[in-house]
Amino acid sequence: MSMQDTASSGVALWRLVADGIERGIADGRFAAGDKLPGEMEIAETYRVNRHTVRRALAALAERGLVRAERGSGTYVEAQKLAYPLRSRTRFSEIVGAEGREPHGRLIEATDDVATRELARELGLKVGAPLVRIEAIRLADRTPICVSTTWLSADLFPNAGAVFAATRSMTKLLEHFGVRDYRRGATRITAGIVDATDAARLDLALGRPILVVDATDHDLTGKPLVTKHSRFAAERVEFLVES
Amino acid sequence: MSMQDTASSGVALWRLVADGIERGIADGRFAAGDKLPGEMEIAETYRVNRHTVRRALAALAERGLVRAERGSGTYVEAQKLAYPLRSRTRFSEIVGAEGREPHGRLIEATDDVATRELARELGLKVGAPLVRIEAIRLADRTPICVSTTWLSADLFPNAGAVFAATRSMTKLLEHFGVRDYRRGATRITAGIVDATDAARLDLALGRPILVVDATDHDLTGKPLVTKHSRFAAERVEFLVES
DNA sequence: CGAAGTTGTCTATGATAATAGACAACTTCA
DNA sequence: TGAAGTTGTCTATTATCATAGACAACTTCG
C-alpha cells in the first residue's frame, strides 16, 4: 500500500491511517484514556512506514484527539461531543459545558437571493436579497460542523463583516439588537460528505455526516436566520429531549 | 488554495477538483454530451493550475465519465443507462436502481382512433376511441426516451389528465385499479431521430435511436396499453436476460 | 486561409509524501 | 540496575503533487 506501487487515489497514506485511528476512537474501539498500539504495531497493521504513522498521529495530536508520552505510549484524549437539541441551542455554550474551547471561523460571506424555500423559511419574498455565510465551528481544535447560514440582507446589513469580526452567530444577532432567540423546527437527515466539506471538516472522503436544517426565530416568532449545517457524524452525538 | 500556503489536509487538490466536476455531472449541471468549461476556465474557478485540472480530468476520463477532444473541448460521456428488458419493466425502478433520479414529463395527450395494427395489439375494433399520450422520460436531467402510448378511452377515461398529474404510467394504471401488469413481446429496431424527437431528446440531428414497441397486459393477459418508444441510442444500453 | 480557442506534450522547479535506517531520550517492569 | 519497549529526532532517497511557461496539434468559425 505504498504510493509507489499502487495507483494513487489522491488521498495521502498518512491521512488514511489518521482516519482509521479516528474511526477507532469514534466507534469506541479506543476509549478515552486508552493507550493506542505502539507506532511500530500500527505501522504493521496498516503496512506502512513508522514515519507515516507518526505523521498521522501528529495530525490527530494537533487536533487534541490523542496525546503522545515519550517512552510510554500514545493516549486517547477526546470523546464525542454531546450535543443536546433544545429550543435554546448555542454552540459555544454546549461546547463550553463539556470543558472544551469553542471556536468559529468564517469561510465565506456572499450575497445571495431567496429561493422559494429560503423565502418561506425566512418569511420573505422570492428573490429578496440575502447574506449567505459559510462558517466552520470547532471544539478545541477539532472541526465539528460547517454551516451555511442565510439572513435577510435588509435586516442585517454587512452581516458577513460582523460575523467575521465576532465569529459568533449569537454576537452577530446581538449586534443587530436581538437579545434572545429560539430555534424552530429542526430537520435532521444524514448523508455522505462531499469533497469540499471533507476538506473543511478534516474528514475522510465517504464518511457520514449529519445534516441539520433549522430556522431561528426571535421571541415574537419572527424568523431571523435559517441554517443548513453538516456535522461530522463521528464527532458528535445529538441528544433529543424526552 | 495551494499545497504550499495552506495546511495540508491529506487530500490532493486534483482530487477535490475531480470530485467537484463529478458532482456537477451527477446533479445535472453538466448533462451527458455537454461540453465542460475549458481547462483554463475550470482552473480559474477552482483557483488551481491548469495542469491540476488536467490531472482531475484524466482521472475522470479514466473512469469513462468524460472524454477529451483535442482542439474542441472535454465532453461528458453519456453514461449509458443499463436497461434490462424483462417482463416486469418499470422505468422508474430501472433508473432508480442505477442511482439516478427518474422523471417523467407529459408532452401531449390527445384523442385518437385505433388503426388496424393498434386494434390488434389492444384487442379492440378498428376505429375504437383511444387516448394517445406523448411523454418524455429522463434519468437525472438527461432525456432518455420519448414514448407514444395508446390506451382505450373507454377503459381509461381522462387518462391524459391522470398521467399529467402522476407523471408515471405505473401510477396511472394504479389509479384505474390495475395493481400489476406484465410486458408482452417486445420488438426492438433502430433508426435515425427525426427533428421533433431530436428537439425533445436534446439530441443532434442524424443521431441513431432505438425504437421499442411493446404492449403491456394485466395478469389475465388482457392488453392494457401499447407503446412506441424512441430511445437515444447513445444514452442507453438494453440488457436482455440470458 | 487565418485568427482564436482548445487539448496535448515537453521541460523545469519547489514542496509534500513515503520510505529506510540509525540512534537518542524516556518509561516500565522484572 | 538493566533489559525491553516506547516516543523523538536526525539524515537520506525516491515518488508524487502543484505550479509555471512554452509550444505543438487540432477544431471551430468568420
Side-chain angles (χ1 to χ4, degrees):
Chain A
M1 165 119 105
S2 75
M3 278 304 204
Q4 282 73 43
D5 52 17
T6 62
S8 170
S9 66
V11 181
L13 263 183
W14 65 262
R15 181 62 134 87
L16 296 179
V17 175
D19 290 338
I21 295 171
E22 186 178 357
R23 198 174 178 184
I25 294 171
D27 65 19
R29 285 204 307 281
F30 306 122
D34 277 5
K35 181 171 152 181
L36 291 180
E39 293 173 352
M40 273 304 207
E41 190 177 337
I42 295 175
E44 282 163 14
T45 58
Y46 285 93
R47 293 180 185 177
V48 140
N49 192 274
R50 179 180 157 231
H51 294 288
T52 305
V53 173
R54 286 182 59 71
R55 179 84 167 81
L57 290 174
L60 295 177
E62 175 77 17
R63 286 179 25 211
L65 220 65
V66 301
R67 164 184 41 85
E69 287 185 6
R70 184 177 194 154
S72 173
T74 304
Y75 299 84
V76 177
E77 279 280 76
Q79 49 196 344
K80 277 194 183 179
L81 182 69
Y83 201 102
L85 293 175
R86 288 186 286 261
S87 70
R88 194 174 184 293
T89 306
R90 304 288 184 274
F91 181 82
S92 56
E93 292 175 9
I94 289 169
V95 173
E98 299 253 321
R100 301 172 73 176
E101 189 69 25
H103 294 285
R105 197 165 65 232
L106 175 68
I107 298 171
E108 189 184 26
T110 59
D111 294 326
D112 205 350
V113 291
T115 63
R116 185 161 53 222
E117 201 166 352
L118 287 171
R120 177 164 45 77
E121 286 294 329
L122 289 171
L124 302 171
K125 291 180 181 171
V126 174
L130 299 178
V131 175
R132 178 178 140 275
I133 295 175
E134 288 280 312
I136 184 166
R137 295 168 192 284
L138 307 89
D140 293 331
R141 270 163 291 180
T142 301
I144 300 297
C145 75
V146 281
S147 294
T148 308
T149 306
W150 286 273
L151 310 86
S152 162
D154 293 327
L155 295 175
F156 305 97
N158 288 317
V162 176
F163 184 87
T166 62
R167 297 179 166 191
S168 159
M169 192 54 62
T170 304
K171 286 176 183 163
L172 182 153
L173 292 174
E174 273 177 11
H175 177 269
F176 288 102
V178 178
R179 295 219 320 282
D180 201 2
Y181 61 91
R182 290 285 185 275
R183 167 155 296 191
T186 301
R187 288 176 304 146
I188 304 174
T189 60
I192 297 296
V193 71
D194 66 31
T196 306
D197 283 347
R200 291 167 173 171
L201 287 171
D202 199 15
L203 199 62
L205 291 172
R207 303 297 301 158
I209 52 173
L210 286 160
V211 181
V212 178
D213 289 288
T215 301
D216 290 335
H217 306 263
D218 68 10
L219 299 187
T220 71
K222 196 176 72 170
L224 297 169
V225 303
T226 188
K227 298 180 192 180
H228 177 73
S229 305
R230 291 84 76 200
F231 287 76
E234 57 205 49
R235 295 176 197 155
V236 75
E237 192 171 42
F238 289 146
L239 304 177
V240 182
E241 308 291 70
S242 62
Chain B
M1 165 103 121
S2 77
M3 277 304 204
Q4 282 72 45
D5 52 18
T6 62
S8 170
S9 66
V11 180
L13 265 183
W14 66 260
R15 178 64 130 88
L16 296 180
V17 176
D19 288 347
I21 295 170
E22 186 177 355
R23 198 178 180 187
I25 294 171
D27 67 18
R29 284 204 307 282
F30 305 123
D34 275 7
K35 183 170 150 182
L36 291 180
E39 293 171 354
M40 274 302 207
E41 189 176 340
I42 296 175
E44 280 162 16
T45 58
Y46 285 92
R47 294 181 186 174
V48 295
N49 191 275
R50 177 178 160 232
H51 294 289
T52 305
V53 173
R54 285 182 59 74
R55 179 81 171 81
L57 290 173
L60 295 177
E62 177 77 17
R63 289 176 32 209
L65 223 62
V66 302
R67 163 185 40 87
E69 287 186 4
R70 184 180 198 154
S72 174
T74 303
Y75 297 85
V76 177
E77 272 287 42
Q79 325 123 272
K80 284 194 177 177
L81 182 70
Y83 202 101
L85 293 174
R86 288 184 288 260
S87 69
R88 192 173 186 292
T89 306
R90 305 287 183 274
F91 183 83
S92 57
E93 291 177 8
I94 290 169
V95 173
E98 299 255 318
R100 301 172 71 177
E101 192 65 28
H103 295 286
R105 198 166 63 232
L106 175 68
I107 298 171
E108 188 183 34
T110 60
D111 294 324
D112 206 347
V113 292
T115 63
R116 184 162 57 222
E117 200 168 347
L118 285 171
R120 177 163 47 79
E121 284 294 335
L122 288 171
L124 302 171
K125 291 180 180 172
V126 174
L130 299 178
V131 175
R132 178 179 140 273
I133 295 174
E134 224 31 51
I136 185 167
R137 295 168 192 283
L138 306 90
D140 293 330
R141 268 170 258 181
T142 302
I144 299 297
C145 74
V146 282
S147 293
T148 308
T149 306
W150 286 273
L151 310 84
S152 163
D154 293 326
L155 295 175
F156 306 98
N158 287 318
V162 176
F163 185 86
T166 62
R167 297 179 166 188
S168 159
M169 192 55 64
T170 304
K171 286 176 184 161
L172 182 153
L173 293 173
E174 268 178 15
H175 178 269
F176 288 103
V178 178
R179 294 218 323 279
D180 203 354
Y181 62 94
R182 291 284 184 275
R183 167 155 296 191
T186 301
R187 287 176 302 147
I188 304 174
T189 61
I192 298 296
V193 71
D194 66 25
T196 308
D197 282 348
R200 291 167 174 171
L201 289 170
D202 196 15
L203 201 61
L205 287 172
R207 304 298 299 162
I209 53 173
L210 284 159
V211 182
V212 177
D213 290 285
T215 301
D216 291 332
H217 306 262
D218 69 11
L219 299 185
T220 71
K222 193 175 75 170
L224 297 169
V225 302
T226 187
K227 299 181 192 179
H228 176 73
S229 306
R230 289 85 77 200
F231 289 78
E234 58 199 43
R235 296 175 195 160
V236 75
E237 189 171 49
F238 290 143
L239 304 176
V240 181
E241 309 290 61
S242 62

